[in-house]
Amino acid sequence: MDTKIIRDLVKKHLSEKPRNTVEIKDWLSENIHLEDNYDIAAILESDPTIIRIGRIMKSGVIGKEYPLSEWATDEWVLHHERKQPEANGD
């Protein structure tokens, strides 16, 4: 399957909230025929509108080859990022 199609599907899935690599791979496997040889992290990293927002401890996830990271769309990040304090010029 074309990686652009995978990225577009994942962006729609991430529009609601961030999700980790395992959730994304499981969701893709349920909705499309996804071969096991796909490196989901590499596919997501190749899209500038999908952002790795952190890594997750691998507690309870044993034997996974791909990094367990949290992913979000750039729009979600912009909407939820913390406001930086304004410099008061002192």
Coordinates of all heavy atoms in Angstrom, one line a residue:
M1 N 0.8 -1.2 0.0 CA 0.0 0.0 0.0 C 0.9 1.2 0.0 O 1.9 1.3 0.6 CB -0.9 0.0 1.2 CG -1.7 1.3 1.3 SD -3.1 1.2 2.5 CE -4.3 0.4 1.6
D2 N 0.4 2.3 -0.7 CA 1.2 3.5 -0.8 C 1.3 4.2 0.6 O 0.3 4.3 1.3 CB 0.4 4.4 -1.8 CG 1.1 5.7 -2.1 OD1 2.3 5.8 -1.7 OD2 0.5 6.6 -2.6
T3 N 2.5 4.7 0.9 CA 2.7 5.3 2.2 C 1.9 6.6 2.3 O 1.5 7.0 3.4 CB 4.1 5.5 2.5 OG1 4.7 6.3 1.5 CG2 4.9 4.2 2.7
K4 N 1.6 7.3 1.2 CA 0.9 8.5 1.3 C -0.6 8.2 1.8 O -1.1 9.0 2.6 CB 0.8 9.2 -0.1 CG 0.0 10.5 0.0 CD 0.0 11.2 -1.4 CE -0.8 12.5 -1.4 NZ -1.8 12.7 -0.4
I5 N -1.1 7.1 1.3 CA -2.5 6.7 1.7 C -2.5 6.4 3.2 O -3.4 6.8 3.9 CB -3.0 5.5 0.9 CG1 -3.2 6.0 -0.6 CG2 -4.3 5.0 1.5 CD1 -3.4 4.8 -1.5
I6 N -1.5 5.7 3.7 CA -1.3 5.4 5.1 C -1.3 6.7 5.9 O -2.0 6.8 6.9 CB -0.1 4.5 5.3 CG1 -0.4 3.1 4.7 CG2 0.1 4.3 6.8 CD1 0.8 2.2 4.7
R7 N -0.4 7.6 5.5 CA -0.3 8.9 6.2 C -1.6 9.6 6.3 O -2.0 10.2 7.3 CB 0.8 9.7 5.6 CG 2.2 9.2 5.9 CD 3.3 10.2 5.6 NE 3.2 10.7 4.2 CZ 3.9 10.2 3.2 NH1 4.6 9.1 3.3 NH2 3.8 10.7 2.0
D8 N -2.3 9.7 5.2 CA -3.6 10.4 5.1 C -4.6 9.8 6.1 O -5.3 10.5 6.8 CB -4.1 10.4 3.7 CG -3.3 11.4 2.8 OD1 -2.6 12.2 3.3 OD2 -3.5 11.2 1.5
L9 N -4.6 8.4 6.1 CA -5.6 7.7 7.0 C -5.2 8.0 8.4 O -6.1 8.3 9.3 CB -5.5 6.2 6.7 CG -6.2 5.7 5.4 CD1 -5.8 4.3 5.2 CD2 -7.7 5.9 5.5
V10 N -3.9 8.0 8.7 CA -3.5 8.2 10.1 C -3.8 9.7 10.5 O -4.2 9.9 11.7 CB -2.0 7.9 10.3 CG1 -1.4 8.4 11.6 CG2 -1.7 6.4 10.1
K11 N -3.6 10.6 9.6 CA -3.9 12.0 10.0 C -5.4 12.2 10.4 O -5.7 12.9 11.3 CB -3.6 13.0 8.8 CG -2.1 13.3 8.7 CD -1.9 14.4 7.7 CE -1.6 13.8 6.4 NZ -1.0 14.7 5.4
K12 N -6.2 11.5 9.7 CA -7.7 11.6 10.0 C -7.9 10.9 11.4 O -8.7 11.4 12.2 CB -8.5 10.9 9.0 CG -8.6 11.6 7.7 CD -9.4 10.8 6.6 CE -9.4 11.6 5.3 NZ -10.1 10.8 4.2
H13 N -7.2 9.8 11.7 CA -7.3 9.1 12.9 C -6.8 10.0 14.1 O -7.3 10.0 15.2 CB -6.6 7.8 12.9 CG -6.8 6.9 14.0 ND1 -8.0 6.6 14.5 CD2 -5.9 6.3 14.8 CE1 -7.9 5.8 15.6 NE2 -6.6 5.6 15.8
L14 N -5.7 10.7 13.8 CA -5.1 11.6 14.8 C -5.8 12.9 15.0 O -5.5 13.6 16.0 CB -3.6 11.8 14.5 CG -2.7 10.7 14.5 CD1 -1.3 11.1 14.0 CD2 -2.6 10.1 15.9
S15 N -6.7 13.2 14.2 CA -7.4 14.6 14.3 C -8.2 14.7 15.6 O -8.3 15.8 16.1 CB -8.3 14.8 13.1 OG -9.4 13.9 13.1
E16 N -8.6 13.6 16.1 CA -9.4 13.6 17.4 C -8.5 13.8 18.6 O -8.8 14.6 19.5 CB -10.2 12.3 17.6 CG -11.2 12.1 16.5 CD -11.7 10.7 16.6 OE1 -11.6 10.0 17.7 OE2 -12.4 10.2 15.7
K17 N -7.4 13.1 18.6 CA -6.5 13.1 19.8 C -5.2 12.4 19.4 O -5.2 11.6 18.5 CB -7.1 12.5 21.0 CG -7.3 11.0 20.9 CD -7.9 10.4 22.2 CE -8.0 8.9 22.1 NZ -8.4 8.3 23.3
P18 N -4.1 12.7 20.1 CA -2.9 11.9 19.9 C -3.0 10.4 20.2 O -3.9 10.1 21.0 CB -1.9 12.6 20.9 CG -2.5 13.9 21.3 CD -3.9 13.7 21.2
R19 N -2.2 9.7 19.5 CA -2.2 8.2 19.8 C -0.8 7.7 19.7 O 0.1 8.3 19.0 CB -3.1 7.5 18.7 CG -4.5 8.1 18.8 CD -5.4 7.4 17.8 NE -6.6 8.1 17.6 CZ -7.7 7.9 18.3 NH1 -7.7 7.1 19.4 NH2 -8.8 8.6 18.1
N20 N -0.6 6.5 20.3 CA 0.8 6.0 20.3 C 0.9 5.1 19.1 O 0.0 4.7 18.4 CB 1.2 5.3 21.6 CG 0.4 4.1 21.9 OD1 0.3 3.2 21.0 ND2 -0.1 4.0 23.1
T21 N 2.2 4.7 18.8 CA 2.5 3.9 17.7 C 1.8 2.6 17.6 O 1.3 2.2 16.6 CB 4.1 3.6 17.7 OG1 4.8 4.8 17.9 CG2 4.5 3.0 16.3
V22 N 1.6 1.9 18.8 CA 0.9 0.6 18.8 C -0.6 0.8 18.5 O -1.2 0.1 17.7 CB 1.0 -0.1 20.2 CG1 0.2 -1.3 20.3 CG2 2.5 -0.4 20.4
E23 N -1.2 1.9 19.0 CA -2.6 2.2 18.7 C -2.8 2.4 17.2 O -3.8 2.0 16.6 CB -3.1 3.4 19.5 CG -3.2 3.2 21.0 CD -3.5 4.4 21.8 OE1 -2.9 5.5 21.4 OE2 -4.3 4.4 22.7
I24 N -1.9 3.2 16.7 CA -2.0 3.5 15.2 C -1.8 2.2 14.4 O -2.6 2.0 13.5 CB -0.9 4.5 14.8 CG1 -1.2 5.9 15.5 CG2 -0.8 4.7 13.3 CD1 -0.1 6.9 15.4
K25 N -0.8 1.4 14.7 CA -0.6 0.2 13.9 C -1.8 -0.8 14.1 O -2.3 -1.3 13.1 CB 0.6 -0.5 14.3 CG 0.9 -1.7 13.5 CD 2.4 -2.1 13.5 CE 2.6 -3.3 12.6 NZ 3.5 -3.1 11.6
D26 N -2.4 -0.9 15.3 CA -3.6 -1.7 15.5 C -4.8 -1.2 14.7 O -5.5 -2.0 14.1 CB -3.9 -1.9 17.0 CG -2.9 -2.7 17.7 OD1 -2.1 -3.4 17.1 OD2 -2.9 -2.7 19.0
W27 N -5.0 0.1 14.8 CA -6.1 0.7 14.1 C -6.0 0.5 12.6 O -6.9 0.1 11.9 CB -6.2 2.2 14.4 CG -7.3 2.9 13.7 CD1 -8.6 2.9 14.1 CD2 -7.2 3.6 12.5 NE1 -9.4 3.6 13.2 CE2 -8.5 4.1 12.2 CE3 -6.2 4.0 11.6 CZ2 -8.8 4.9 11.1 CZ3 -6.5 4.7 10.5 CH2 -7.8 5.2 10.3
L28 N -4.7 0.7 12.0 CA -4.5 0.5 10.6 C -4.8 -1.0 10.2 O -5.4 -1.3 9.2 CB -3.1 0.9 10.2 CG -2.8 2.3 10.1 CD1 -1.3 2.6 10.0 CD2 -3.6 2.9 8.9
S29 N -4.3 -1.9 11.1 CA -4.5 -3.3 10.8 C -6.0 -3.7 10.8 O -6.4 -4.6 10.0 CB -3.8 -4.2 11.8 OG -2.4 -4.0 11.7
E30 N -6.8 -3.1 11.6 CA -8.2 -3.3 11.6 C -9.0 -2.7 10.4 O -10.0 -3.2 10.0 CB -8.9 -2.8 12.9 CG -8.4 -3.5 14.2 CD -8.9 -2.8 15.4 OE1 -9.7 -1.8 15.3 OE2 -8.6 -3.2 16.5
N31 N -8.4 -1.7 9.9 CA -9.2 -0.9 8.8 C -8.7 -1.2 7.4 O -9.4 -0.9 6.4 CB -9.2 0.6 9.1 CG -10.0 0.9 10.3 OD1 -11.3 0.9 10.2 ND2 -9.4 1.0 11.5
I32 N -7.4 -1.5 7.3 CA -6.9 -1.8 5.9 C -5.9 -3.0 6.0 O -5.5 -3.4 7.1 CB -6.0 -0.6 5.4 CG1 -4.8 -0.3 6.3 CG2 -6.9 0.6 5.2 CD1 -3.9 0.7 5.7
H33 N -5.6 -3.6 4.9 CA -4.7 -4.7 4.9 C -3.3 -4.1 5.0 O -2.8 -3.5 4.1 CB -4.8 -5.6 3.6 CG -3.8 -6.6 3.5 ND1 -3.8 -7.7 4.4 CD2 -2.7 -6.7 2.7 CE1 -2.7 -8.5 4.1 NE2 -2.1 -7.9 3.1
L34 N -2.7 -4.3 6.2 CA -1.4 -3.7 6.4 C -0.4 -4.8 6.6 O -0.5 -5.6 7.5 CB -1.4 -2.8 7.6 CG -0.1 -2.0 7.9 CD1 0.1 -1.0 6.8 CD2 -0.3 -1.3 9.3
E35 N 0.7 -4.9 5.8 CA 1.7 -5.9 6.0 C 2.5 -5.6 7.2 O 2.7 -4.4 7.6 CB 2.5 -6.0 4.7 CG 1.8 -6.4 3.5 CD 2.6 -6.3 2.2 OE1 3.8 -6.3 2.3 OE2 2.0 -6.2 1.2
D36 N 3.1 -6.6 7.8 CA 3.9 -6.4 9.1 C 5.2 -5.7 8.8 O 5.8 -5.2 9.8 CB 4.2 -7.8 9.7 CG 2.9 -8.3 10.4 OD1 2.0 -7.5 10.7 OD2 2.9 -9.6 10.6
N37 N 5.7 -5.6 7.6 CA 7.0 -5.1 7.3 C 7.0 -3.5 7.3 O 8.0 -2.9 7.0 CB 7.6 -5.6 6.0 CG 6.8 -5.3 4.8 OD1 5.6 -4.9 4.9 ND2 7.4 -5.5 3.7
Y38 N 5.8 -2.9 7.5 CA 5.8 -1.4 7.4 C 6.3 -0.9 8.7 O 5.9 -1.3 9.8 CB 4.3 -0.9 7.3 CG 3.8 -0.9 5.9 CD1 3.0 -2.0 5.4 CD2 4.2 0.1 5.0 CE1 2.6 -2.0 4.1 CE2 3.7 0.1 3.7 CZ 2.9 -0.9 3.2 OH 2.5 -1.0 1.9
D39 N 7.2 0.1 8.6 CA 7.8 0.8 9.8 C 6.9 2.0 10.0 O 7.1 3.1 9.3 CB 9.2 1.2 9.5 CG 9.9 1.9 10.7 OD1 9.2 2.2 11.7 OD2 11.1 2.1 10.6
I40 N 5.9 1.9 10.8 CA 5.0 3.0 11.0 C 5.7 4.3 11.5 O 5.3 5.4 11.0 CB 3.9 2.6 12.1 CG1 3.1 1.4 11.6 CG2 3.0 3.7 12.4 CD1 2.4 1.6 10.3
A41 N 6.6 4.2 12.4 CA 7.3 5.4 12.8 C 8.0 6.1 11.6 O 7.9 7.3 11.5 CB 8.4 5.0 13.9
A42 N 8.6 5.4 10.8 CA 9.3 6.0 9.6 C 8.3 6.6 8.7 O 8.5 7.7 8.1 CB 10.1 4.9 8.9
I43 N 7.2 6.0 8.5 CA 6.1 6.5 7.6 C 5.6 7.8 8.2 O 5.4 8.8 7.5 CB 5.0 5.5 7.4 CG1 5.5 4.3 6.6 CG2 3.8 6.2 6.8 CD1 4.5 3.2 6.5
L44 N 5.4 7.9 9.5 CA 4.8 9.1 10.2 C 5.9 10.2 10.2 O 5.6 11.3 10.0 CB 4.4 8.7 11.6 CG 3.3 7.7 11.7 CD1 2.9 7.4 13.1 CD2 2.0 8.1 10.9
E45 N 7.1 9.8 10.4 CA 8.2 10.8 10.4 C 8.4 11.5 9.1 O 8.9 12.6 9.0 CB 9.5 10.2 10.9 CG 9.6 9.9 12.3 CD 10.8 9.1 12.7 OE1 11.5 8.5 11.9 OE2 11.1 9.1 13.9
S46 N 8.0 10.8 8.0 CA 8.2 11.4 6.7 C 7.1 12.4 6.3 O 7.2 13.0 5.3 CB 8.2 10.3 5.6 OG 6.9 9.7 5.5
D47 N 6.2 12.6 7.2 CA 5.1 13.6 6.9 C 5.3 14.8 7.9 O 5.2 14.6 9.1 CB 3.7 13.0 7.2 CG 2.6 13.9 6.7 OD1 2.7 15.1 7.0 OD2 1.7 13.4 6.1
P48 N 5.6 16.0 7.4 CA 5.8 17.2 8.3 C 4.6 17.6 9.1 O 4.7 18.4 10.0 CB 6.3 18.3 7.3 CG 5.7 17.9 6.0 CD 5.7 16.4 6.0
T49 N 3.4 17.1 8.7 CA 2.2 17.5 9.5 C 1.8 16.5 10.6 O 0.9 16.7 11.3 CB 1.0 17.6 8.5 OG1 0.7 16.4 7.9 CG2 1.2 18.7 7.4
I50 N 2.6 15.5 10.7 CA 2.5 14.5 11.8 C 3.7 14.7 12.7 O 4.8 14.6 12.2 CB 2.3 13.1 11.3 CG1 1.1 12.9 10.4 CG2 2.3 12.1 12.5 CD1 1.0 11.5 9.8
I51 N 3.4 14.9 14.0 CA 4.5 15.3 14.9 C 4.6 14.2 16.0 O 3.6 13.9 16.6 CB 4.3 16.7 15.5 CG1 4.2 17.7 14.4 CG2 5.3 17.0 16.5 CD1 3.7 19.0 14.8
R52 N 5.9 13.8 16.3 CA 6.1 13.0 17.5 C 6.1 13.9 18.7 O 7.0 14.8 18.8 CB 7.4 12.2 17.3 CG 7.7 11.3 18.5 CD 9.2 10.8 18.5 NE 9.6 10.3 17.2 CZ 9.8 9.0 16.8 NH1 9.6 8.1 17.7 NH2 10.3 8.7 15.6
I53 N 5.2 13.7 19.6 CA 5.1 14.6 20.7 C 5.7 14.0 22.0 O 5.7 14.7 23.0 CB 3.6 15.1 21.0 CG1 2.7 13.9 21.2 CG2 3.2 16.0 19.8 CD1 1.3 14.4 21.6
G54 N 6.2 12.8 21.9 CA 6.8 12.2 23.1 C 7.0 10.7 22.9 O 6.4 10.1 22.0
R55 N 7.8 10.2 23.8 CA 8.0 8.7 23.9 C 7.2 8.2 25.1 O 7.1 8.9 26.1 CB 9.4 8.4 23.9 CG 10.2 8.8 22.7 CD 11.5 8.1 22.6 NE 12.3 8.5 21.5 CZ 12.2 7.9 20.3 NH1 11.4 6.9 20.1 NH2 13.0 8.4 19.3
I56 N 6.8 7.0 25.0 CA 6.0 6.4 26.1 C 6.8 5.2 26.6 O 7.5 4.5 25.9 CB 4.7 5.8 25.5 CG1 3.9 7.0 24.9 CG2 3.9 5.1 26.6 CD1 2.6 6.6 24.2
M57 N 6.8 5.1 27.9 CA 7.4 3.9 28.6 C 6.8 2.7 28.0 O 5.6 2.6 27.7 CB 7.2 4.0 30.1 CG 7.8 5.2 30.8 SD 9.5 5.4 30.6 CE 10.1 4.0 31.5
K58 N 7.6 1.6 27.8 CA 7.2 0.4 27.2 C 6.5 -0.6 28.2 O 6.5 -1.8 28.0 CB 8.3 -0.3 26.5 CG 8.8 0.5 25.3 CD 9.7 -0.3 24.5 CE 10.1 0.4 23.2 NZ 10.8 -0.4 22.3
S59 N 6.0 -0.1 29.3 CA 5.4 -0.9 30.3 C 4.2 -1.7 29.6 O 3.3 -1.1 29.0 CB 4.8 0.0 31.4 OG 4.0 -0.7 32.3
G60 N 4.3 -3.0 29.8 CA 3.2 -3.8 29.3 C 3.3 -4.1 27.8 O 2.5 -4.9 27.2
V61 N 4.3 -3.5 27.1 CA 4.4 -3.7 25.6 C 5.7 -4.5 25.4 O 6.8 -3.9 25.5 CB 4.4 -2.4 24.8 CG1 4.5 -2.7 23.4 CG2 3.1 -1.6 25.1
I62 N 5.6 -5.8 25.3 CA 6.8 -6.6 25.2 C 7.0 -7.1 23.7 O 6.0 -7.5 23.1 CB 6.8 -7.7 26.2 CG1 6.7 -7.2 27.6 CG2 8.0 -8.7 26.0 CD1 6.4 -8.2 28.6
G63 N 8.2 -7.0 23.2 CA 8.5 -7.6 21.9 C 8.1 -6.8 20.7 O 8.0 -7.3 19.6
K64 N 7.9 -5.5 20.9 CA 7.6 -4.6 19.8 C 8.9 -4.1 19.2 O 9.8 -3.6 19.9 CB 6.7 -3.5 20.2 CG 5.4 -3.9 20.8 CD 4.5 -4.6 19.7 CE 3.2 -5.0 20.3 NZ 2.4 -5.7 19.3
E65 N 9.0 -4.1 17.9 CA 10.2 -3.7 17.2 C 10.3 -2.2 17.0 O 11.3 -1.5 17.0 CB 10.4 -4.3 15.9 CG 10.4 -5.8 15.9 CD 9.0 -6.4 15.6 OE1 8.3 -5.8 14.8 OE2 8.7 -7.4 16.3
Y66 N 9.1 -1.6 16.8 CA 9.1 -0.1 16.5 C 9.0 0.7 17.8 O 8.5 0.3 18.8 CB 7.9 0.2 15.6 CG 6.6 -0.6 15.9 CD1 5.7 -0.1 16.9 CD2 6.3 -1.8 15.3 CE1 4.6 -0.7 17.2 CE2 5.1 -2.5 15.6 CZ 4.3 -1.9 16.6 OH 3.1 -2.6 16.9
P67 N 9.5 1.9 17.7 CA 9.5 2.8 18.9 C 8.1 3.1 19.3 O 7.2 3.3 18.5 CB 10.2 4.1 18.4 CG 10.6 3.9 17.0 CD 10.1 2.6 16.5
L68 N 7.9 3.2 20.6 CA 6.6 3.5 21.2 C 6.6 5.0 21.5 O 7.1 5.4 22.4 CB 6.3 2.7 22.4 CG 4.9 2.8 23.0 CD1 3.8 2.4 21.9 CD2 4.7 1.8 24.2
S69 N 6.0 5.7 20.5 CA 5.9 7.2 20.6 C 4.5 7.6 20.6 O 3.6 6.9 20.1 CB 6.7 7.8 19.5 OG 8.0 7.4 19.5
E70 N 4.3 8.8 21.0 CA 3.0 9.5 20.9 C 3.0 10.4 19.7 O 4.0 11.2 19.5 CB 2.7 10.3 22.2 CG 1.3 10.7 22.4 CD 0.3 9.7 22.9 OE1 0.8 8.6 23.4 OE2 -0.9 9.9 22.9
W71 N 2.0 10.4 18.9 CA 1.9 11.1 17.6 C 0.7 12.0 17.6 O -0.4 11.6 18.2 CB 1.9 10.2 16.4 CG 3.0 9.3 16.4 CD1 3.1 8.0 16.9 CD2 4.3 9.5 15.7 NE1 4.3 7.5 16.6 CE2 5.1 8.4 15.9 CE3 4.8 10.6 15.0 CZ2 6.4 8.3 15.4 CZ3 6.1 10.5 14.5 CH2 6.8 9.3 14.7
A72 N 0.8 13.2 17.0 CA -0.4 14.1 16.8 C -0.2 14.8 15.5 O 0.9 14.9 15.0 CB -0.4 15.1 18.0
T73 N -1.3 15.5 15.1 CA -1.2 16.3 13.9 C -0.6 17.7 14.3 O -0.8 18.1 15.5 CB -2.5 16.5 13.2 OG1 -3.4 17.1 14.1 CG2 -3.1 15.2 12.8
D74 N -0.1 18.4 13.4 CA 0.4 19.7 13.7 C -0.7 20.6 14.1 O -0.5 21.5 15.0 CB 1.2 20.3 12.5 CG 0.4 20.4 11.2 OD1 -0.7 19.8 11.1 OD2 0.9 21.0 10.2
E75 N -1.9 20.5 13.5 CA -3.1 21.3 13.9 C -3.4 21.0 15.4 O -3.7 22.0 16.1 CB -4.3 21.0 13.0 CG -4.1 21.5 11.6 CD -5.2 21.1 10.7 OE1 -6.1 20.4 11.2 OE2 -5.2 21.5 9.5
W76 N -3.4 19.8 15.8 CA -3.7 19.4 17.2 C -2.7 20.1 18.1 O -3.0 20.7 19.2 CB -3.7 17.9 17.4 CG -4.3 17.5 18.8 CD1 -5.5 17.2 19.1 CD2 -3.5 17.4 20.0 NE1 -5.6 17.0 20.4 CE2 -4.4 17.1 21.0 CE3 -2.1 17.6 20.3 CZ2 -4.0 16.9 22.3 CZ3 -1.7 17.4 21.6 CH2 -2.6 17.1 22.6
V77 N -1.4 20.0 17.8 CA -0.3 20.6 18.6 C -0.5 22.1 18.7 O -0.4 22.7 19.8 CB 1.0 20.2 18.0 CG1 2.2 21.0 18.7 CG2 1.3 18.7 18.1
L78 N -0.8 22.8 17.6 CA -1.0 24.2 17.6 C -2.1 24.6 18.5 O -2.1 25.6 19.2 CB -1.2 24.8 16.2 CG 0.1 24.8 15.3 CD1 -0.3 25.2 13.9 CD2 1.1 25.8 15.9
H79 N -3.2 23.8 18.4 CA -4.4 24.2 19.2 C -4.2 23.9 20.7 O -4.7 24.6 21.5 CB -5.6 23.3 18.7 CG -6.8 23.6 19.5 ND1 -7.6 24.7 19.3 CD2 -7.5 22.9 20.4 CE1 -8.6 24.7 20.1 NE2 -8.6 23.6 20.7
H80 N -3.4 22.9 21.1 CA -3.2 22.6 22.5 C -1.9 23.0 23.1 O -1.7 22.7 24.3 CB -3.3 21.0 22.6 CG -4.7 20.6 22.4 ND1 -5.2 20.2 21.1 CD2 -5.8 20.4 23.2 CE1 -6.4 19.8 21.2 NE2 -6.8 20.0 22.5
E81 N -1.0 23.7 22.4 CA 0.3 24.0 23.0 C 0.1 25.1 24.0 O -0.9 25.9 24.0 CB 1.3 24.5 21.9 CG 1.0 25.8 21.3 CD 2.0 26.2 20.2 OE1 3.0 25.5 20.1 OE2 1.8 27.2 19.5
R82 N 0.9 25.1 25.0 CA 0.9 26.1 26.1 C 1.3 27.4 25.6 O 2.2 27.6 24.8 CB 1.8 25.6 27.2 CG 1.3 24.4 27.9 CD 2.2 24.0 29.0 NE 1.7 22.8 29.6 CZ 2.4 22.1 30.5 NH1 3.6 22.6 30.9 NH2 1.9 21.0 31.0
K83 N 0.6 28.4 26.1 CA 1.0 29.8 25.8 C 2.3 30.1 26.5 O 2.5 29.8 27.7 CB -0.1 30.8 26.2 CG -1.4 30.5 25.6 CD -1.4 30.9 24.1 CE -2.8 30.8 23.6 NZ -2.8 30.2 22.3
Q84 N 3.2 30.7 25.8 CA 4.5 31.2 26.4 C 4.3 32.5 27.1 O 3.6 33.4 26.6 CB 5.6 31.3 25.4 CG 5.9 30.0 24.7 CD 6.5 29.0 25.6 OE1 7.3 29.4 26.5 NE2 6.1 27.8 25.5
P85 N 4.9 32.6 28.3 CA 4.7 33.9 29.0 C 5.4 35.0 28.2 O 6.4 34.8 27.6 CB 5.4 33.7 30.4 CG 6.3 32.5 30.2 CD 5.7 31.7 29.1
E86 N 4.7 36.2 28.2 CA 5.3 37.3 27.5 C 6.4 37.9 28.3 O 6.3 38.0 29.5 CB 4.2 38.3 27.2 CG 3.1 37.8 26.3 CD 2.1 38.9 26.0 OE1 2.4 40.1 26.1 OE2 0.9 38.5 25.6
A87 N 7.4 38.3 27.6 CA 8.5 39.0 28.3 C 8.1 40.4 28.6 O 7.4 41.1 27.9 CB 9.7 39.1 27.3
N88 N 8.3 40.8 29.9 CA 7.9 42.1 30.3 C 8.9 43.2 30.1 O 8.7 44.3 30.6 CB 7.4 42.1 31.8 CG 8.4 41.5 32.7 OD1 9.6 41.4 32.3 ND2 8.1 41.3 33.9
G89 N 10.0 43.0 29.4 CA 10.9 44.0 29.1 C 11.8 44.5 30.2 O 12.3 45.6 30.1
D90 N 11.9 43.8 31.3 CA 12.7 44.3 32.4 C 14.2 44.1 32.1 O 14.8 43.4 31.5 CB 12.4 43.5 33.7 CG 11.1 43.8 34.2 OD1 10.6 45.0 34.0 OD2 10.5 43.0 34.9

